[in-house]
Amino acid sequence: ICSTVFVFVFSFFVWHSTRIVDRISVLLIVFMGFTFIFSTYGLATNISLDTLLDIGGKDTNYAKYAVGMFPVALTSFGYHHSVCTMRAYYGDEKKAKYAISGGTAIALTLYLLWIFSIFGNLPRNQFAPVIASDGNLDILLNALGRVIESNTVKQMINAFSIAAILSSFIGVGLGVFDYLADFFKFDNSKIGRTKSWAVTFLP
């Protein structure tokens, strides 16, 4: 029930207009920026070089994990679903290209900072329960809680993750919404946008 309510509430913004999604995304990004800074600062100040480089670790062969990284990278930095939205929003393919390139560069920089912060604090042998839970955030926070004695950092990470989920939902939702609207040739009227909303979110 909660997930259904979540979809209906936040998909309304997608149905309403690209402009309102833009405004909400800006607010979420600002909030994410603050929480990211506080959380990564708390983690970065505790980075251990031995932990980061896994000095003394039993299994130092990480090449086998490279293939498994590609789907994550494609999902994290895939922008194909946003092309239609960017082109329609900016009205200029060159501006859309710069927006996508710049956004990807920012995301990659923050992603690498996050990776360094996590891997510099959490020993490799403590990643097992996180991996077993498919990356469940609560498990990660519990694991970090055993090496970092800071509830503030944990709360900031949790707040950041919630904002990231909301931002991703409306961002990806808008991209798919515009793609399907273009694919089915729905117009931009209320009826047309309702049709686009239906084929995007009801399935």
Side-chain angles (χ1 to χ4, degrees):
I1 295 176
C2 291
S3 59
T4 302
V5 173
F6 174 88
V7 170
F8 272 94
V9 170
F10 289 98
S11 66
F12 167 77
F13 300 125
V14 175
W15 171 86
H16 187 275
S17 66
T18 302
R19 179 69 63 180
I20 194 171
V21 171
D22 179 32
R23 296 293 180 260
I24 293 173
S25 295
V26 169
L27 292 175
L28 287 172
I29 289 171
V30 170
F31 178 76
M32 287 165 60
F34 281 113
T35 55
F36 184 83
I37 289 171
F38 282 116
S39 59
T40 52
Y41 176 78
L43 292 171
T45 54
N46 288 284
I47 287 179
S48 166
L49 191 60
D50 289 348
T51 303
L52 179 63
L53 301 178
D54 195 25
I55 296 175
K58 294 181 180 179
D59 183 10
T60 56
N61 181 21
Y62 301 117
K64 59 186 178 182
Y65 299 111
V67 175
M69 178 192 71
F70 288 123
V72 177
L74 287 173
T75 303
S76 299
F77 301 104
Y79 54 81
H80 49 280
H81 61 270
S82 300
V83 172
C84 291
T85 299
M86 291 292 189
R87 186 178 59 190
Y89 185 67
Y90 287 106
D92 184 344
E93 290 190 5
K94 186 173 290 187
K95 288 183 179 179
K97 181 182 72 174
Y98 288 145
I100 291 172
S101 300
T104 302
I106 293 171
L108 178 60
T109 301
L110 297 178
Y111 181 74
L112 291 175
L113 180 58
W114 171 255
I115 290 296
F116 278 115
S117 298
I118 294 296
F119 278 74
N121 282 276
L122 198 61
R124 299 297 187 275
N125 58 7
Q126 295 191 30
F127 275 96
V130 179
I131 295 171
S133 66
D134 292 327
N136 186 289
L137 182 64
D138 289 334
I139 304 298
L140 175 61
L141 291 178
N142 289 334
L144 285 173
R146 289 192 287 270
V147 295
I148 298 177
E149 297 180 0
S150 175
N151 288 327
T152 302
V153 172
K154 292 173 64 177
Q155 290 171 356
M156 289 297 103
I157 294 174
N158 197 34
F160 172 81
S161 66
I162 292 171
I165 290 171
L166 293 177
S167 177
S168 297
F169 177 82
I170 61 175
V172 174
L174 179 63
V176 177
F177 179 95
D178 285 336
Y179 172 78
L180 292 176
D182 183 63
F183 181 80
F184 289 110
K185 308 301 180 185
F186 295 143
D187 59 35
N188 202 37
S189 65
K190 288 185 177 180
I191 294 176
R193 292 186 71 83
T194 300
K195 292 178 181 178
S196 300
W197 175 88
V199 297
T200 302
F201 295 104
L202 289 184

